[in-house]
């Protein structure tokens, strides 16, 4: 990549991070407690769990890319919500994921907004060395910061957004239906 | 293209577009005809329709919108063979009409997916930086940078629909990939 196009790609990545997380925030913000914790079918994750898992995953990767503490611990969310400081829910048994309780959609959306704002700023400030730097992700694997952000923040969030949209539909919460 | 090396737009686009295409193909390839067209209670679209819609979108963007060439869909005459629209790829289709779309089988749909993947990935890999940051007219967004069109249409749009497919597969009692 030339020096002229790398900033364009960084700007696209920062925008993608902001946009992907923003959609998840908007999808859960304003939900009632029953809706946030609703189980659409026996193998489904709740809307609250999906959004929490997306935010936690992005927070973990963001902290490693930015070499800074996770917001989850730093802002006291883990303690305030009575949830573990570590972990993002990956591999959690369905029953445990369905049992996760969050204080409210507003609190979850606030965590998401703080994360989105900090992370998109961090990504937008990355230079070539920052993008190529190796960071550890999950399961002991390491990636370039750029790939980690694409895989575990943008694509991971967007894919769960698809799950979240359909879960809202199954719960009759008003997700647009029809064609695709 | 290797997973390591300098962060280039081409590497990003080929890696992630390829990943989405591979997962789409895998998500339909093991389904029976019944599962491909199943509409479990509450689900708005069948897995077959969702996968076809994403594959057609990728085919349209890289072949037609970028290169003004005939799509794989048209070259193979699948619109006639399958009795489906020549141009439209499902965006905005009425729910009942989408649910009624029938495919000749998971193997045929997966084969179309492989043909699209094998056509578009080498093209993307060969695109210059200038070409990728240059704009193309893509319906319905208008003039957008080609990299953004690939990112939006294939990678982001495809990933979001993969999330839907995962839910429908679970509703059908099938394994779904862990994200």
């Amino acid at each position: 990549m030339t020096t002229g196009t790398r900033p364009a790609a960084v700007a696209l990545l920062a925008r993608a991070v902001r946009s992907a997380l923003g959609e998840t925030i908007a999808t859960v913000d304003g939900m009632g407690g029953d809706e946030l914790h609703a189980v659409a079918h026996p193998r489904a994750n709740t809307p609250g769990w999906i959004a929490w898992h997306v935010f936690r995953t992005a927070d973990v990767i963001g902290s490693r890319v930015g070499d800074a503490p996770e917001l989850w611990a730093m802002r006291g969310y883990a303690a305030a919500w009575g949830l573990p400081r570590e972990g993002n829910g990956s591999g959690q048994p369905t029953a445990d994921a369905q049992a996760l309780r969050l204080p409210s959609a507003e609190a979850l959306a606030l965590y998401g907004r703080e994360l989105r704002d900090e992370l998109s700023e961090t990504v937008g400030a990355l230079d070539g060395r920052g993008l190529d730097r190796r960071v550890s992700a999950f399961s002991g694997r390491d990636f370039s910061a750029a790939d980690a952000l694409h895989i575990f923040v943008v694509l991971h969030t967007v894919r769960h957004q698809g799950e979240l949209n359909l879960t809202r539909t199954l719960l009759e919460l008003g997700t647009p239906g029809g064609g695709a | 293209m290797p997973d390591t090396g300098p962060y280039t737009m081409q590497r990003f686009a080929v890696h992630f577009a390829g990943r989405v295409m591979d997962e789409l193909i895998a998500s339909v390839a093991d389904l029976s005809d019944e599962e491909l067209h199943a509409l479990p209670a509450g689900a708005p679209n069948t897995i077959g329709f969702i996968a076809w819609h994403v594959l057609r979108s990728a085919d349209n963007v890289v072949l037609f919108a970028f290169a003004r060439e005939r799509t794989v869909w048209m070259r193979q005459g699948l619109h006639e063979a399958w009795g489906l629209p020549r141009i439209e790829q499902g965006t905005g289709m009425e729910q009942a009409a989408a649910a009624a779309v029938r495919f000749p089988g998971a193997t045929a749909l997966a084969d179309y997916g492989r043909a699209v993947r094998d056509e578009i990935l080498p093209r993307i890999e060969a695109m210059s930086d200038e070409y990728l940051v240059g704009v193309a007219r893509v319906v319905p967004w208008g003039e957008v940078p080609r990299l953004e069109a690939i990112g939006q249409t294939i990678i982001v749009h495809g990933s979001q629909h993969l999330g839907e497919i995962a839910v429908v597969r679970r509703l059908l009692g099938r394994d779904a990939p862990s994200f």
Side-chain angles (χ1 to χ4, degrees):
Chain A
M1 185 178 296
T2 65
T3 52
T5 55
R6 191 184 281 268
V10 170
L12 278 175
L13 177 54
R15 206 162 77 206
V17 166
R18 189 168 187 83
S19 168
L21 290 172
E23 195 171 347
T24 301
I25 294 163
T27 304
V28 294
D29 200 7
M31 278 186 170
D34 288 349
E35 295 168 340
L36 200 62
H37 300 111
V39 176
H41 63 90
R43 300 180 68 195
N45 297 313
T46 65
W49 185 90
I50 298 169
W52 171 80
H53 166 66
V54 160
F55 298 154
R56 284 292 298 123
T57 303
D59 198 356
V60 169
I61 294 299
S63 80
R64 293 174 188 178
V65 169
D67 207 13
E70 295 170 19
L71 289 185
W72 178 246
M74 190 174 68
R75 301 274 168 93
Y77 286 113
W81 297 4
L83 293 172
R85 281 172 64 97
E86 307 290 332
N88 66 338
S90 287
Q92 198 168 23
T94 302
D96 292 352
Q98 290 175 347
L100 181 85
R101 286 297 173 270
L102 300 159
S104 69
E106 287 69 27
L108 183 60
L110 176 62
Y111 171 44
R113 276 194 292 273
E114 289 179 348
L115 176 68
R116 175 198 61 191
D117 294 347
E118 295 248 350
L119 186 50
S120 55
E121 189 174 334
T122 298
V123 173
L126 289 174
D127 58 12
R129 181 175 292 186
L131 287 168
D132 294 338
R133 188 168 74 89
R134 306 297 291 180
V135 296
S136 71
F138 301 97
S139 307
R141 295 184 62 196
D142 70 295
F143 298 81
S144 70
D147 280 351
L149 289 163
H150 279 118
I151 295 168
F152 298 106
V153 180
V154 179
L155 291 187
H156 182 258
T157 300
V158 166
R159 192 141 334 164
H160 276 297
Q161 184 63 40
E163 179 189 10
L164 194 49
N165 289 344
L166 188 44
T167 300
R168 282 190 60 112
T169 300
L170 294 172
L171 292 168
E172 300 181 348
L173 296 179
T175 294
Chain B
M1 185 167 280
D3 283 353
T4 57
Y7 175 65
T8 66
M9 290 188 288
Q10 292 80 3
R11 185 169 76 82
F12 153 73
V14 169
H15 176 83
F16 291 106
R19 195 177 162 121
V20 168
M21 299 295 285
D22 286 345
E23 289 184 39
L24 271 173
I25 293 162
S27 72
V28 298
D30 63 344
L31 298 180
S32 67
D33 277 5
E34 190 180 348
E35 290 170 325
L36 193 67
H37 300 107
L39 204 57
N45 290 310
T46 67
I47 292 176
F49 177 83
I50 299 168
W52 171 78
H53 162 68
V54 178
L55 295 171
R56 284 286 295 114
S57 300
D59 194 1
N60 277 356
V61 165
V62 178
L63 272 294
F64 180 71
F66 288 4
R68 289 292 182 246
E69 293 180 20
R70 295 174 75 212
T71 56
V72 173
W73 178 250
M74 288 173 66
R75 270 194 259 152
Q76 293 191 350
L78 297 179
H79 56 294
E80 291 173 345
W82 296 6
L84 292 173
R86 193 170 71 95
I87 304 293
E88 288 80 15
Q89 31 69 284
T91 299
M93 191 182 278
E94 288 293 327
Q95 189 169 326
V101 170
R102 288 293 175 272
F103 302 95
T107 302
L109 189 55
D111 282 346
Y112 170 58
R114 290 186 194 97
V116 173
R117 177 195 63 194
D118 295 347
E119 182 70 39
I120 67 173
L121 295 186
R123 286 172 179 257
I124 296 171
E125 188 172 356
M127 290 173 184
S128 69
D129 287 2
E130 291 70 24
Y131 185 83
L132 279 170
V133 297
V135 298
R137 180 167 175 72
V138 179
V139 176
W141 306 309
E143 306 271 328
V144 292
R146 292 184 183 89
L147 180 63
E148 192 166 331
I150 293 168
Q152 180 62 38
T153 306
I154 304 174
I155 301 173
V156 171
H157 172 247
S159 292
Q160 194 155 332
H161 280 304
L162 276 168
E164 292 177 5
I165 287 175
V167 176
V168 180
R169 283 184 64 100
R170 280 191 217 115
L171 286 169
L172 294 173
R174 283 283 196 165
D175 287 338
S178 173
F179 305 153

